[in-house]
């Protein structure tokens, strides 16, 4: 039972609160019910009031209460009219005169000697003067007379009044004289009756400054830019400074700039595309302001022009093939690199070169180059796809060129001569056991593996194939029966594709001899020189550290080699003599320019027996510098 009573009470309270809320909302819309009715008995009617604002109030001389103007459509003698913030009122007098009271103003309406007498306590008042009907304005106990046929604005600010004529003309009379005022002019009448006049500023901006057109080059179609222009107007020495206003609309609801200056013109702030309205007014030393000038416009038209990307380069070749061995022969002291090149492109600041294993250039290696060629520093053996794009000063990339193929081959593979496998035994030839020979080659830097082929015919029509890892430099090859076999080898890249041509073909010979007819052991064979080639010409930057490789083919079953270099072919006084186990020697000691002769011989495994010297080869050293040589 108690819960039922409690619920009923809550609904009653809610209903009362809702009713009060609706009542207060109505009072916010129309507060006339809050005020007593105005007593108009005994009052003289002089006009009617039209309200065009929010807070407009009227008070008669005999009352103490201000009444909202919404209640009032009649104005009586000695009535006071007040306008609040963002409010104004229009008063139509019985004689046809129209008074407009601006916001934040207070006036009192009365007549004296049959003439309208307005007491302007503060604020602004606009009216059109009637011929032969002077208007008297009272402010701070002083009386001023306005006559004529113009439209005027009267402002009470500080001591005295300001009178601006917006249309026609007017005569203003004070205690110390009178002054005719033309349209566009403004004067001040001080409290002591002195008259000062100043012209409303007139905009004098030249036509060429009223339109700012510009086409700017850009790489972004959506780029927005700004521009400014110069505005100017007439001046008057009575003004201390000028206030100017810029807006996006002619009624100045979308103001973008408001500032003051002491000059007769300004440079506007930088603004984007659009039409802008502006106006100016003078400011007196006491802070009073003249009427606004007429409204003028200026237009900003900034048009982007897209900068096109540069044209695509053209690769100089469709197919590149690089053989490191051939390049090293031409320049023994350098480290060769594959070079690609392309056509020159106008407006290109640099070029972006890409290398990839895949034709779609996934995971491509990219390089930025300012010239029109690139010696690829990170080249690896195998087949590559290469393309290039131009890059402009603005950072725009051209379309890539048509891709070319680059085949990178490593140093030429050299297969060492193979010793003859001689086996003797009691079995007949038909029952000879399988044999085995060892094939050796010069390792190639960068190879991922090696492929060795063994075939009974020199055309390798049906070879046996053996795959060896990259660290290998030899392979044990099985020979099923006595006879002659052909052997060759090539290097493979990381993708399993060849990165060198096949090496030279060497013969592996398996000889089986019955013990009764076994021949005497063969003589030790001399090495075969490889490079430099005979009569080679070598050009060096410096002879102090020449870095020249002298290389020969390996000989099986030897312990070491002996090399001699001399200045004469008879080797009577060798320039150097070295013994070493490897089949190559790096000449890097200081040497003179001129002709050199070199030869090599091998020593048996026991170090006692030596082969014959090889035939001597000759090479010539040329240098760009004339360096002293100390033997």
């Amino acid at each position: 039972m108690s819960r039922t009573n409690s619920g009923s009470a809550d609904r009653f309270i809610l209903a009362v609160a809702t009713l009060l809320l609706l009542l207060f909302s109505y009072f916010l819309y129309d507060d006339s019910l809050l005020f007593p009715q105005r007593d108009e008995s005994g009052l003289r009617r002089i006009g009617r009031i039209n309200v065009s604002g929010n807070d407009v109030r009227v008070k008669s001389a005999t009352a103490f209460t201000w009444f909202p103007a919404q209640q009032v459509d009649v104005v009586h003698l000695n009535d006071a009219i007040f306008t609040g913030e963002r409010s104004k009122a229009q008063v139509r007098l019985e004689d046809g005169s129209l008074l407009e009271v601006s916001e934040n103003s207070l006036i009192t309406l009365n007549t004296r000697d049959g003439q309208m007498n307005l007491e302007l306590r503060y604020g602004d008042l606009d009216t059109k003067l009637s011929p032969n009907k002077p208007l008297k304005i009272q402010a701070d106990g002083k009386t001023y007379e306005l006559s004529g046929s113009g439209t005027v604005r009267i402002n009470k600010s500080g001591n005295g009044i300001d009178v601006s004529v917006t249309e026609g003309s007017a005569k203003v009379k004070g205690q110390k004289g009178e002054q005719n005022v033309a349209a566009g002019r403004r004067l001040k009448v001080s409290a002591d009756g002195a008259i000062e006049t100043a012209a409303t500023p007139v905009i004098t901006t030249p036509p060429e400054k009223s339109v700012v057109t510009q086409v700017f080059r850009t790489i972004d179609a959506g780029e927005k830019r700004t521009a400014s222009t110069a505005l100017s107007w007439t001046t008057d020495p009575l003004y201390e400074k000028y206030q100017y206003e810029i807006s996006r609309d002619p009624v100045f609801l979308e103001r973008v700039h408001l500032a003051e200056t002491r000059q007769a013109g300004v440079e506007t702030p930088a603004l984007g595309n659009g039409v802008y309205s502006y106006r100016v007014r003078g400011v007196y030393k006491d802070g009073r302001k003249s009427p606004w000038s007429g409204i003028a416009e200026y237009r900003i038209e900034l048009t982007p022009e897209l900068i096109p990307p540069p044209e695509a380069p053209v690769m100089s070749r469709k197919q590149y093939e690089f053989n490191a061995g051939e390049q090293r022969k031409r320049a023994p002291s350098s480290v060769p690199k594959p070079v690609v090149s392309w056509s020159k492109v106008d407006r290109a600041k640099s070029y972006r070169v890409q290398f990839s294993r895949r034709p779609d250039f996934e995971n491509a290696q990219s390089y930025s180059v300012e010239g029109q060629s690139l010696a690829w520093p990170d080249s690896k053996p195998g087949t590559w796809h290469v393309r290039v794009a131009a890059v402009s000063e603005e950072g725009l990339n051209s379309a890539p060129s048509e891709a070319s193929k680059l085949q990178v081959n490593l140093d030429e593979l050299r297969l060492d001569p193979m010793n003859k496998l001689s086996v003797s035994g009691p079995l007949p030839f038909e029952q000879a056991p399988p044999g085995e020979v060892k094939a050796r080659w010069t390792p190639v830097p960068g190879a991922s593996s090696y492929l060795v082929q063994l075939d009974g015919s020199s055309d390798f029509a049906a070879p046996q194939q053996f795959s060896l890892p990259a660290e290998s430099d030899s392979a044990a090859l099985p020979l099923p029966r006595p006879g002659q076999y052909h052997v060759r080898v090539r290097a493979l890249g990381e993708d399993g594709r060849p990165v060198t041509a096949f090496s030279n073909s060497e013969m592996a010979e398996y000889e089986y001899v019955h013990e009764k007819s076994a021949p005497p052991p063969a003589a030790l064979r001399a090495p075969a020189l490889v490079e430099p080639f005979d009569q080679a010409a070598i050009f060096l930057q410096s002879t102090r550290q020449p870095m020249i490789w002298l290389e020969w083919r390996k000989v099986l079953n030897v312990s070491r080699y002996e090399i001699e270099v001399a200045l004469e072919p008879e080797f009577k006084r060798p320039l150097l003599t070295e013994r070493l186990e490897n089949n190559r020697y790096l000449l890097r000691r200081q040497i003179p320019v001129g002709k050199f002769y070199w030869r090599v011989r091998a020593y048996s495994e026991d170090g006692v027996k030596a082969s014959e010297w090889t035939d001597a080869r000759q090479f010539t050293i040329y240098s760009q510098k004339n360096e002293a040589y100390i033997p």
Side-chain angles (χ1 to χ4, degrees):
M1 185 68 178
S2 59
R3 291 183 180 178
T4 303
N5 293 336
S6 176
S8 300
D10 291 341
R11 286 193 295 271
F12 176 76
I13 294 173
L14 178 60
V16 172
T18 303
L19 182 61
L20 290 175
L21 179 59
L22 294 174
L23 183 61
F24 289 146
S25 299
Y26 177 78
F27 285 150
L28 288 175
Y29 172 75
D30 183 4
D31 57 359
S32 60
L33 297 177
L34 300 176
F35 297 93
Q37 295 295 317
R38 182 182 179 191
D39 184 9
E40 299 181 357
S41 59
L43 299 180
R44 175 186 170 187
R45 173 175 170 171
I46 61 173
R48 302 180 67 85
I49 186 169
N50 298 319
V51 178
S52 59
N54 298 319
D55 183 16
V56 180
R57 307 178 196 177
V58 178
K59 184 176 76 71
S60 64
T62 59
F64 296 97
T65 302
W66 287 91
F67 292 89
Q70 286 91 335
Q71 293 185 5
V72 179
D73 59 1
V74 176
V75 178
H76 300 88
L77 187 64
N78 296 323
D79 277 359
I81 301 175
F82 166 80
T83 57
E85 189 77 21
R86 304 177 69 177
S87 304
K88 62 180 180 179
Q90 291 184 347
V91 179
R92 176 72 67 178
L93 300 179
E94 295 289 341
D95 62 2
S97 301
L98 179 66
L99 304 178
E100 292 189 6
V101 185
S102 300
E103 64 178 346
N104 297 321
S105 301
L106 176 60
I107 66 170
T108 300
L109 305 173
N110 56 55
T111 58
R112 179 175 297 178
D113 300 330
Q115 293 181 339
M116 178 59 63
N117 187 71
L118 301 180
E119 183 180 358
L120 180 58
R121 299 184 183 182
Y122 57 83
D124 298 275
L125 176 67
D126 292 87
T127 186
K128 179 173 177 55
L129 300 175
S130 298
N132 304 320
K133 289 185 179 180
L135 174 66
K136 290 188 177 182
I137 303 295
Q138 187 176 359
D140 297 327
K142 306 295 183 182
T143 301
Y144 311 90
E145 183 178 286
L146 280 71
S147 60
S149 60
T151 301
V152 299
R153 163 166 282 202
I154 306 154
N155 170 259
K156 173 66 176 67
S157 177
N159 294 326
I161 62 171
D162 292 338
V163 179
S164 302
V165 180
T166 57
E167 184 179 313
S169 62
K171 179 188 290 185
V172 181
K173 183 178 180 181
Q175 293 180 353
K176 294 185 178 182
E178 59 186 34
Q179 177 76 45
N180 290 320
V181 186
R185 303 285 293 182
R186 177 175 182 167
L187 60 79
K188 173 180 173 56
V189 185
S190 61
D192 60 0
I195 298 176
E196 297 178 354
T197 181
T200 300
V202 176
I203 292 173
T204 59
T205 303
E208 63 270 16
K209 297 294 184 179
S210 298
V211 180
V212 181
T213 59
Q214 178 184 344
V215 177
F216 61 93
R217 292 172 60 82
T218 179
I219 62 176
D220 180 10
E223 181 180 356
K224 305 296 183 183
R225 292 197 181 181
T226 58
S228 60
T229 188
L231 308 180
S232 58
W233 51 79
T234 59
T235 61
D236 193 295
L238 291 179
Y239 296 131
E240 180 184 32
K241 54 189 175 181
Y242 300 88
Q243 185 181 70
Y244 64 97
E245 182 180 24
I246 302 174
S247 175
R248 294 186 185 276
D249 65 288
V251 294
F252 292 85
L253 296 178
E254 297 183 48
R255 179 196 294 166
V256 295
H257 189 67
L258 176 66
E260 294 182 343
T261 180
R262 297 180 184 274
Q263 307 302 320
V266 292
E267 185 77 13
T268 67
L271 298 172
N273 285 347
V275 178
Y276 298 91
S277 300
Y278 65 98
R279 60 186 179 180
V280 63
R281 62 184 175 184
V283 181
Y284 293 97
K285 292 181 180 180
D286 60 2
R288 294 177 298 111
K289 299 179 177 64
S290 76
W292 286 108
S293 68
I295 298 173
E297 292 182 345
Y298 70 92
R299 185 171 72 254
I300 296 178
E301 295 179 356
L302 306 178
T303 306
E305 179 183 334
L306 281 179
I307 301 175
E311 294 183 357
V314 178
M315 299 296 298
S316 59
R317 297 170 62 182
K318 296 290 185 181
Q319 180 78 37
Y320 294 88
E321 186 169 357
F322 174 76
N323 297 300
E326 294 181 6
Q327 297 296 325
R328 190 171 285 110
K329 291 175 186 177
R330 299 174 187 173
S333 60
S334 63
V335 179
K337 298 293 181 185
V339 178
V340 295
S341 59
W342 50 88
S343 63
K344 183 179 180 180
V345 176
D346 292 340
R347 296 179 46 239
K349 179 183 179 183
S350 61
Y351 299 88
R352 183 169 56 89
V353 189
Q354 290 184 309
F355 297 87
S356 177
R357 293 285 192 191
R358 296 169 54 95
D360 60 1
F361 286 84
E362 182 179 356
N363 300 323
Q365 301 178 33
S366 297
Y367 301 84
S368 180
V369 182
E370 292 188 357
Q372 293 167 247
S373 63
L374 170 65
W376 188 14
D378 305 313
S379 62
K380 293 182 180 180
T383 302
W384 295 85
H385 301 272
V386 56
R387 67 182 183 184
V388 61
V391 182
S392 69
E393 184 77 30
E394 302 83 8
L396 291 173
N397 293 320
S398 74
S401 67
E402 185 178 346
S404 296
K405 282 189 177 181
L406 169 62
Q407 180 66 40
V408 179
N409 299 323
L410 298 178
D411 290 350
E412 180 182 356
L413 258 177
R414 300 184 188 92
L415 187 62
D416 294 340
M418 303 178 65
N419 287 343
K420 181 179 181 180
L421 175 63
S422 297
V423 178
S424 60
L427 297 175
F429 182 82
E430 295 79 6
Q431 300 178 8
E436 184 180 84
V437 294
K438 198 164 191 178
R440 294 181 180 273
W441 58 85
T442 305
V444 177
S448 297
S449 61
Y450 296 94
L451 177 68
V452 182
Q453 289 186 340
L454 174 70
D455 200 336
S457 63
S458 59
D459 59 0
F460 292 88
Q464 297 184 58
Q465 298 195 134
F466 305 89
S467 180
L468 285 303
E471 58 271 14
S472 302
D473 62 354
S474 63
L477 304 178
L479 304 179
R481 63 184 63 87
Q484 290 184 340
Y485 299 86
H486 299 273
V487 180
R488 65 182 183 180
V489 62
R490 80 187 316 175
L492 305 180
E494 58 186 11
D495 57 356
R497 297 181 179 180
V499 293
T500 66
F502 275 110
S503 68
N504 55 300
S505 177
E506 291 289 341
M507 181 177 291
E509 186 174 0
Y510 175 19
E511 181 182 51
Y512 180 79
V513 180
H514 195 273
E515 289 178 348
K516 294 180 180 181
S517 60
L524 188 63
R525 184 163 45 177
L529 300 184
V530 176
E531 63 178 8
F533 297 106
D534 196 22
Q535 306 294 324
I538 301 175
F539 295 86
L540 301 176
Q541 294 288 337
S542 171
T543 58
R544 297 185 185 277
Q545 289 185 330
M547 306 293 288
I548 301 174
W549 283 101
L550 306 178
E551 188 173 352
W552 54 94
R553 291 187 178 179
K554 291 182 179 180
V555 179
L556 295 179
N557 303 320
V558 299
S559 60
R560 62 184 181 277
Y561 303 92
E562 184 176 14
I563 182 172
E564 286 187 347
V565 180
L567 299 175
E568 74 286 334
E570 294 81 12
F571 291 88
K572 293 179 180 180
R573 295 179 57 191
L575 186 63
L576 66 87
T577 301
E578 294 286 348
R579 289 189 177 184
L580 62 161
E581 296 181 358
N582 294 326
N583 65 320
R584 63 195 313 203
Y585 175 74
L586 180 61
L587 180 60
R588 57 184 178 184
R589 57 182 291 184
Q590 184 177 2
I591 58 175
V593 296
K595 291 184 178 181
F596 293 85
Y597 300 86
W598 66 293
R599 63 183 182 179
V600 180
R601 65 181 176 181
Y603 280 87
S604 61
E605 290 182 331
D606 57 9
V608 175
K609 186 178 179 181
S611 71
E612 295 293 331
W613 285 104
T614 63
D615 293 336
R617 282 190 179 182
Q618 176 247 313
F619 61 89
T620 304
I621 298 294
Y622 297 92
S623 176
Q624 295 182 357
K625 298 181 179 179
N626 185 16
E627 299 169 323
Y629 169 66
I630 302 176

